[in-house]
């Protein structure tokens, strides 16, 4: 089975054709460009370059955030026995994806991917190349409507919500403004998960460089991409009621770094991270 789907073509007959709106920048494609991907268009590259001009460390911060995701999935699979992941805000597939990381450790792992970006939908086959022992699926849905995801029959065929699930929310909540209650949305997802489940989450912040990160926020917002940075206290609020794993809420490069990781300066990072257990 091929892993590539042409723009505008659905990954299978269950999905409709989509309009990629290549004439306007899209957060998933801007991110793809900044981490060295090739699934982006001229408006995305213009938006990305303007954001980098405002804060040159932005690509470093984004690559470091992705590294956190990889470490968190490894730790949850290997050290905490997680065998189910719900990854919301998946973004354009870029290897290694969550299922590739987890199934390399435990082939029976099941992963449900969720996004509402049309560009992600066109590449959804790359998210469904599971091991024979495990399973994956892709659901086209909006994070801001938790019940539509929790009740989705495609997702429920893959994930058993009566057993622990790790909810992965990497680089998504900063695209949800306070008016849409992102903390409450996260809680509604966690309320649907069994005890023993985990929350892995990152939050965009201006704590390390308010001027530079503020410039990034302005560039995104003026191009129609809502973006809101939050401080450490606001980040910790996402984990209220859950047990944070060591080292608690920290800048992404300080969360259990690999021994051979290249050093990164705090002022070049604009993302907090944390992983927590639901009892």
């Amino acid at each position: 089975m091929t892993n590539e789907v042409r723009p505008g073509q659905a990954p299978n007959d269950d999905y409709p054709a989509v309009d990629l709106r290549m004439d306007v920048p899209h957060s998933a494609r801007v991110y793809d460009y900044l981490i060295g991907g090739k699934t982006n268009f001229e408006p995305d590259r213009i938006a990305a370059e303007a954001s980098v001009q405002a804060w040159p460390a932005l690509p470093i911060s984004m690559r470091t955030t992705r590294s956190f995701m990889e470490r968190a999935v490894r730790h949850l699979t290997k050290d905490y026995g997680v065998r189910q992941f719900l990854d919301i805000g998946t973004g354009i597939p870029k290897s290694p994806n969550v299922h590739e990381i987890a199934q390399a450790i435990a082939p029976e792992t099941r992963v449900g991917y969720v996004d509402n970006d049309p560009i992600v939908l066109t590449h959804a086959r790359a998210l469904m190349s599971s091991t024979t022992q495990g399973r994956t699926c892709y659901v086209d849905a909006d994070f801001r409507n938790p019940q539509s995801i929790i009740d989705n029959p495609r997702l429920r065929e893959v994930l058993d919500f009566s057993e622990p699930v790790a909810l992965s929310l990497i680089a998504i909540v900063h695209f949800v403004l306070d008016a849409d209650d992102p903390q409450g949305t996260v809680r509604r997802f966690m309320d649907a998960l069994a005890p023993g489940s985990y929350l892995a989450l990152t939050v965009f912040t201006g704590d390390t460089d308010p001027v530079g990160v503020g410039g990034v926020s302005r560039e995104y917002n003026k191009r129609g991409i809502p973006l809101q940075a939050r401080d450490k206290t606001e980040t910790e609020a996402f984990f209220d009621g859950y047990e944070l794993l060591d080292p608690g809420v920290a800048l992404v490069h300080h969360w259990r770094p690999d021994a051979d990781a290249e050093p990164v300066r705090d002022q070049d990072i604009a993302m907090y991270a944390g992983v927590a257990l639901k009892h």
Side-chain angles (χ1 to χ4, degrees):
M1 179 176 67
T2 179
N3 285 338
E4 293 187 2
V5 183
R6 294 186 299 274
Q9 174 189 355
N12 60 47
D13 292 340
D14 295 332
Y15 297 103
V18 293
D19 179 3
L20 298 185
R21 289 302 309 276
M22 293 179 286
D23 56 324
V24 295
H26 197 288
S27 58
R29 299 191 300 247
V30 173
Y31 173 81
D32 177 76
Y33 176 75
L34 288 168
I35 63 172
K38 300 185 184 303
T39 309
N40 49 74
F41 305 104
E42 187 66 17
D44 310 307
R45 294 188 281 271
I46 292 171
E49 292 294 348
S51 299
V52 171
Q53 187 172 1
W55 190 50
L58 182 60
I60 297 172
S61 185
M62 288 191 167
R63 290 193 299 268
T64 305
T65 299
R66 183 166 183 87
S67 295
F68 160 77
M69 179 278 288
E70 296 176 12
R71 294 196 308 279
V73 172
R74 286 203 314 267
H75 278 286
L76 287 169
T77 308
K78 183 177 181 180
D79 301 333
Y80 296 93
V82 172
R83 295 296 180 267
Q84 299 190 109
F85 288 84
L86 174 54
D87 182 51
I88 303 179
T90 298
I92 297 168
K94 183 175 176 63
S95 189
N97 296 298
V98 171
H99 72 281
E100 294 170 312
I101 300 165
Q103 290 179 349
I105 299 167
E108 70 275 22
T109 301
R110 295 180 170 218
V111 179
Y113 292 105
V114 180
D115 211 307
N116 71 334
D117 293 347
I119 188 69
V120 182
L121 177 58
T122 68
H123 291 269
R125 278 203 185 116
L127 300 171
M128 294 186 283
S129 57
S130 174
T131 59
T132 55
Q133 302 97 314
R135 289 190 67 184
T136 67
C137 70
Y138 176 80
V139 173
D140 181 40
D142 193 326
F143 166 74
R144 293 167 297 183
N145 188 354
Q147 210 60 45
S148 71
I149 296 170
I150 293 165
D151 295 337
N152 185 277
R154 186 194 306 272
L155 185 69
R156 299 305 285 264
E157 285 179 3
V158 171
L159 299 183
D160 180 357
F161 278 24
S162 70
E163 297 292 332
V165 174
L167 174 63
S168 175
L169 300 173
I170 308 302
I172 180 175
V173 297
H174 53 262
F175 294 120
V176 183
L177 305 182
D178 285 345
D180 289 318
D181 188 21
Q183 288 93 347
T185 301
V186 172
R187 184 162 299 279
R188 285 190 284 278
F189 280 110
M190 292 300 292
D191 285 348
L193 302 182
S197 293
Y198 290 86
L199 170 63
L201 178 142
T202 68
V203 175
F204 189 60
T205 185
D207 284 359
T208 51
D209 190 340
V211 174
V213 172
V216 173
S217 294
R218 286 191 298 275
E219 291 296 336
Y220 270 67
N221 279 285
K222 78 180 185 181
R223 287 173 169 80
I225 305 174
L227 180 65
Q228 181 172 343
R230 296 182 170 93
D231 62 23
K232 189 172 185 181
T233 298
E234 291 171 308
T235 300
E236 290 169 340
F238 284 97
F239 297 98
D240 284 350
Y242 314 121
E243 179 189 348
L244 278 161
L245 306 184
D246 289 336
V249 170
L251 294 173
V252 283
H253 63 304
H254 291 313
W255 197 93
R256 303 191 182 189
D258 293 330
D260 59 351
E262 294 185 6
V264 179
R265 304 182 307 167
D266 288 359
Q267 59 263 41
D268 290 338
I269 300 299
M271 199 77 76
Y272 283 121
V275 179
L277 168 66
K278 173 184 176 179
H279 288 290

